[in-house]
Amino acid sequence: MLSKDVRLHVDKIINSVSSNKNHKELNIPTTIRYSWERSLEKHSIDPGKDEPVRILTAKELKEYTDPIDKFLRIAKVGMLHLYRQVEALGYSTLLCDANGITVDWRGNESLADQWKAAGLYLGAVWSENQEGTCAVGTALIEQKPLIVHRGEHFRVKNSTLTCSCSPIIGPTGKMMALIDVSSLQSPENRESQHLALQLVMKAARMIESAYFLDHFKDQWIIGLSHEREFADVTSECYIAVSGEGQILAADWVASQALARDRHTALIGQKIGGIFDLDFNKLVEMTYNSSLVLPIHTQQGKQKLYASVRHPRALSIKAQPQTTRGQHNRIRQQNLYPQFDLDRLAGRDPLLQKNVRKIKRIMDHSIPILLTGETGTGKEMFARAIHMSSRRSERPFIAVNCAAIPESLIESELFGYKKGAFTGADKKGMRGKIQQADGGTLFLDEIGDMPPNLQTRLLRVLAEREVTPLGAETSILIDVHVICATHQNLIDLVHSGHFREDLYYRLNGVSFDLPPLRIRADINYIISQILEIESQGTQGTIKIDQKTMALLTNYPWPGNIRQLRNCLRYALAVCENGVITPEDLPAEIVSSGHHLKQKSNHRSSINSDIQASSGDPDLDDDLHSLNIHEQQERKKIIQALAQHHWQISKALQEIGLSRATVYRKMSKYQIVPPNRRD
């Protein structure tokens, strides 16, 4: 016999479906009421029947996961990211295929029995014809994100759950999967789940984008955004384009925005028929960059911002009788013509000195550590070292240790054998270290490498062999290791976040790349980057005098990367072959308005710098300081002068302790004005 609560729940559903009353009067969302009708009349489900949610066996589940293992590998990363956001709130996370079958699950393992009893577990079947109204099953039919909260579930057994679900749409416009967060208990108020739904929708979109980019990695991909400020960070939608400028695919967001939700309307069209741009010119302008360009649609003149992702491997016709190594070198030179050590050193005395040292040691397999602020060109220098060395005909493999999720970095670096873990590629995968065999392995942001992987990397460097995940034998490798970081590795060593033995293994020799604001050759750098970025444009591009003054006086917190993006933007929008202040990003122009206001202040500081030595006979000793010591001396004097020589107030800006500042003042012969007599 049904309990009172169960009877009330069943009556509510049956009365709602059979009643002529408006469902709004009953406070039931339209989507839920329609689902109740299907559950009762089409699926003939008894809402009061007390049966557990069906859970497939491991063998049965494998039949559903094997065909989508490539998708699962990508989707699991997004699912794990979502779970970390909601874990503390008591939610579990489900990834379901297009049949409503849970192909991956994350939840508090200590509550595994409760999750499994509720059907919120790996292998659970949440189709509507099995469970009636539920988030996964109903979203599968409605093809849209939704919440099914507590008593909105058709089956009484599920009426304590709250579930938020969103479809994951594939490159063809069809649903590939669904992602869901569910809780065993929740507040009565349905609105309490609004934020959960937003997080689920964001995760679904992230997985869609990642899969689209991977699926079309061998094609040109145009990313589109409505906001310029976020276009460099992420795109709202993507279009895959052939080398001839023909649209091959568009994700569902692009289809909605550009073709009124008709997915096939874009496919086959020329990109120039949709936007006011020439595809060949777009390719030329973004060939070596991540430039964001303002574009408009042909119809309606909708303004968007476009970024371009290049094919994974650009096809280059091999010359007759060229070896594989020679072909690779030709390809590298075509893709990266600007990566020349002497060109990168410019006319900066310290960099020129460092390049001379690099040339002497680059063929001796001595590990190189490149340090410097973000954007100073560490990867460019690493690639230039590789292309100038004897290894130039072998691969250059770059790994950003901060960009790869911690859960994937081990398999990315070391590779794996088939069957090493759930979701692994059936053929296995060669890791980045093995891919770099004979060439150069560049580890960017090495300071962000997880501690457990530091131990494995140390062993690889010491023994010159790598063991893929799931393998029993090691593979001999020969790589030249170049690392880069903007962090102070010694500080990380002292704090216990970086292994000391690995630090000395990687730091065979180190080179510090100076920030752009202290380089003595900034005019030369600007002209060189302009020459590189303007290749392919018709005629000579010039910079007028006022614009050059703005560029040379700007502090460039983003260093060379920011300067390149600035010039790319200017090249895209300038007219008549001359770059004017109107062609620069707003932050560059606005900085110029403050130059006159600061000129008097700078003059007073400069006079302090010129007159800072207490004994004129000792000034000659300052000429023995290297560039970095001179810049450090200048920085200390500027900070002291700005704070009227009150050391306690200048310490924070200088970034040194009081004792160190006094020691530096003595070393650099810095004397306060009141003591110079």
Side-chain angles (χ1 to χ4, degrees):
M1 185 173 179
L2 299 179
S3 69
K4 182 179 179 181
D5 290 341
V6 171
R7 185 71 259 171
L8 288 173
H9 181 84
V10 173
D11 289 343
K12 178 183 178 183
I13 292 174
I14 295 175
N15 290 336
S16 172
V17 173
S18 60
S19 173
N20 292 324
K21 289 184 178 181
N22 190 304
H23 60 273
K24 291 183 179 179
E25 295 178 13
L26 299 172
N27 198 27
I28 302 168
T30 304
T31 300
I32 300 300
R33 186 171 184 271
Y34 287 163
S35 177
W36 283 355
E37 291 177 358
R38 290 192 299 267
S39 302
L40 188 65
E41 298 172 357
K42 181 179 179 180
H43 307 312
S44 301
I45 297 174
D46 180 358
K49 193 172 182 179
D50 189 19
E51 285 185 351
V53 175
R54 182 188 172 200
I55 295 182
L56 303 182
T57 65
K59 184 177 180 181
E60 290 173 327
L61 180 61
K62 187 174 174 60
E63 295 178 5
Y64 291 94
T65 57
D66 281 354
I68 58 171
D69 58 350
K70 184 177 181 181
F71 168 76
L72 285 178
R73 177 174 56 83
I74 294 171
K76 285 184 176 185
V77 178
M79 183 189 149
L80 181 60
H81 176 74
L82 174 62
Y83 176 63
R84 286 171 176 167
Q85 291 179 294
V86 300
E87 178 184 10
L89 301 175
Y91 289 92
S92 66
T93 308
L94 285 73
L95 180 68
C96 300
D97 71 358
N99 301 299
I101 295 169
T102 307
V103 291
D104 199 5
W105 171 86
R106 292 289 186 277
N108 187 334
E109 293 289 351
S110 65
L111 302 176
D113 291 341
Q114 296 182 45
W115 293 124
K116 194 168 186 179
L120 302 175
Y121 206 71
L122 186 65
V125 181
W126 282 102
S127 59
E128 198 179 75
N129 61 5
Q130 287 277 334
E131 291 300 312
T133 306
C134 59
V136 171
T138 305
L140 189 58
I141 291 176
E142 296 289 343
Q143 303 269 305
K144 64 182 181 183
L146 52 80
I147 298 169
V148 177
H149 186 60
R150 295 171 66 90
E152 295 172 358
H153 287 84
F154 188 77
R155 292 187 62 195
V156 177
K157 186 179 185 300
N158 301 327
S159 62
T160 60
L161 307 178
T162 185
C163 308
S164 300
C165 183
S166 178
I168 298 171
I169 309 300
T172 62
K174 295 182 179 180
M175 184 187 300
M176 294 188 66
L178 306 101
I179 189 165
D180 169 277
V181 295
S182 296
S183 178
L184 298 171
Q185 301 291 336
S186 67
E188 288 282 352
N189 186 2
R190 190 179 200 269
E191 297 301 318
S192 65
Q193 302 308 304
H194 179 73
L195 179 57
L197 181 62
Q198 298 304 311
L199 292 174
V200 170
M201 292 168 60
K202 183 178 179 181
R205 181 66 191 134
M206 182 171 66
I207 294 171
E208 289 169 357
S209 298
Y211 187 73
F212 188 94
L213 294 174
D214 181 78
H215 191 73
F216 292 103
K217 59 180 175 288
D218 292 325
Q219 306 296 338
W220 295 90
I221 297 178
I222 299 178
L224 300 172
S225 300
H226 284 90
E227 303 296 335
R228 170 65 182 87
E229 290 76 11
F230 296 103
D232 283 322
V233 181
T234 184
S235 296
E236 296 171 19
C237 57
Y238 295 99
I239 296 174
V241 184
S242 70
E244 290 72 40
Q246 188 177 47
I247 297 177
L248 302 175
D251 65 16
W252 74 272
V253 177
S255 298
Q256 285 187 323
L258 302 173
R260 297 182 181 178
D261 202 22
R262 291 183 294 116
H263 184 79
T264 58
L266 294 175
I267 298 176
Q269 292 197 48
K270 289 287 188 179
I271 195 70
I274 305 297
F275 302 105
D276 61 345
L277 59 83
D278 179 84
F279 180 70
N280 292 328
K281 184 176 181 181
L282 179 68
V283 169
E284 289 176 1
M285 295 179 66
T286 61
Y287 196 71
N288 294 308
S289 73
S290 55
L291 176 66
V292 174
L293 295 174
I295 62 174
H296 294 84
T297 56
Q298 294 286 13
Q299 296 179 352
K301 296 298 181 182
Q302 181 183 6
K303 187 174 183 180
L304 296 166
Y305 294 91
S307 60
V308 178
R309 290 175 180 254
H310 301 169
R312 179 181 58 177
L314 298 177
S315 59
I316 296 177
K317 294 182 179 179
Q319 298 297 321
Q321 299 180 342
T322 57
T323 66
R324 180 180 178 183
Q326 290 171 332
H327 177 71
N328 185 64
R329 185 181 183 90
I330 293 170
R331 178 179 178 274
Q332 294 275 359
Q333 289 172 342
N334 278 280
L335 288 175
Y336 307 106
Q338 72 272 36
F339 294 144
D340 174 82
L341 278 172
D342 292 319
R343 191 171 193 174
L344 290 177
R347 297 174 181 174
D348 186 272
L350 178 61
L351 280 178
Q352 290 176 340
K353 180 180 178 181
N354 284 342
V355 164
R356 289 194 293 271
K357 291 181 180 178
I358 288 172
K359 289 180 177 179
R360 289 198 293 268
I361 60 106
M362 65 187 179
D363 287 321
H364 294 278
S365 296
I366 299 173
I368 296 175
L369 177 63
L370 301 176
T371 61
E373 295 180 6
T374 298
T376 49
K378 296 184 284 295
E379 182 172 352
M380 287 194 295
F381 262 92
R383 196 178 290 275
I385 293 170
H386 168 77
M387 294 183 65
S388 300
S389 73
R390 296 172 184 171
R391 296 176 180 263
S392 59
E393 296 182 357
R394 302 298 295 168
F396 175 90
I397 302 297
V399 180
N400 189 321
C401 299
I404 303 176
E406 188 172 337
S407 58
L408 293 181
I409 190 170
E410 186 172 18
S411 59
E412 286 284 330
L413 275 178
F414 305 106
Y416 56 83
K417 293 294 183 181
K418 63 179 181 179
F421 52 86
T422 303
D425 192 292
K426 291 181 179 179
K427 298 179 181 179
M429 187 186 78
R430 294 169 70 239
K432 299 293 187 184
I433 296 176
Q434 191 178 351
Q435 292 174 34
D437 187 30
T440 301
L441 177 67
F442 175 60
L443 299 175
D444 197 9
E445 302 299 352
I446 187 65
D448 292 302
M449 176 170 282
N452 61 312
L453 293 187
Q454 293 177 24
T455 303
R456 287 202 63 184
L457 178 62
L458 179 64
R459 189 177 301 116
V460 168
L461 298 178
E463 300 174 4
R464 293 288 172 176
E465 60 183 27
V466 63
T467 305
L469 298 177
E472 297 179 355
T473 57
S474 300
I475 301 169
L476 293 176
I477 49 101
D478 170 30
V479 295
H480 183 208
V481 178
I482 303 177
C483 296
T485 181
H486 69 281
Q487 302 185 71
N488 189 320
L489 288 187
I490 285 294
D491 287 347
L492 293 180
V493 169
H494 291 162
S495 65
H497 290 92
F498 201 85
R499 291 183 62 109
E500 184 175 16
D501 45 4
L502 178 60
Y503 169 74
Y504 289 112
R505 174 73 65 173
L506 296 174
N507 188 14
V509 60
S510 64
F511 298 98
D512 186 50
L513 303 185
L516 186 58
R517 61 183 173 274
I518 72 170
R519 287 188 62 159
D521 58 348
I522 187 168
N523 290 71
Y524 174 79
I525 295 297
I526 293 171
S527 63
Q528 287 295 297
I529 293 179
L530 180 65
E531 179 183 341
I532 292 169
E533 297 300 332
S534 62
Q535 289 178 1
T537 58
Q538 295 182 351
T540 302
I541 305 296
K542 297 180 180 180
I543 302 176
D544 70 18
Q545 188 174 359
K546 186 176 181 180
T547 306
M548 182 61 79
L550 287 171
L551 294 174
T552 54
N553 284 286
Y554 187 70
W556 300 109
N559 293 300
I560 292 176
R561 181 184 295 123
Q562 184 187 9
L563 173 59
R564 292 186 70 179
N565 285 334
C566 169
L567 292 178
R568 290 168 188 164
Y569 178 83
L571 285 167
V573 300
C574 75
E575 298 177 354
N576 303 320
V578 178
I579 296 176
T580 66
E582 288 72 23
D583 302 321
L584 299 180
E587 66 269 19
I588 310 295
V589 179
S590 62
S591 69
H593 298 326
H594 303 293
L595 293 179
K596 291 183 178 180
Q597 298 176 12
K598 294 182 178 179
S599 60
N600 293 335
H601 185 52
R602 286 181 177 175
S603 298
S604 64
I605 292 176
N606 288 337
S607 66
D608 279 322
I609 294 172
Q610 296 297 327
S612 59
S613 174
D615 186 349
D617 295 334
L618 296 178
D619 284 345
D620 289 340
D621 294 341
L622 298 177
H623 294 297
S624 64
L625 300 178
N626 62 38
I627 295 294
H628 281 295
E629 289 174 328
Q630 291 177 22
Q631 293 298 333
E632 184 177 48
R633 178 178 185 272
K634 181 179 178 180
K635 177 182 177 181
I636 293 173
I637 294 173
Q638 285 178 328
L640 290 170
Q642 287 173 347
H643 294 281
H644 306 289
W645 292 87
Q646 298 182 48
I647 293 179
S648 59
K649 293 184 178 180
L651 288 177
Q652 186 174 1
E653 184 172 337
I654 297 173
L656 300 173
S657 67
R658 181 182 292 271
T660 302
V661 169
Y662 280 121
R663 180 170 55 82
K664 297 280 188 181
M665 290 176 66
S666 175
K667 175 183 177 180
Y668 298 145
Q669 304 171 23
I670 300 173
V671 182
N674 61 347
R675 295 186 182 179
R676 290 178 189 163
D677 293 337

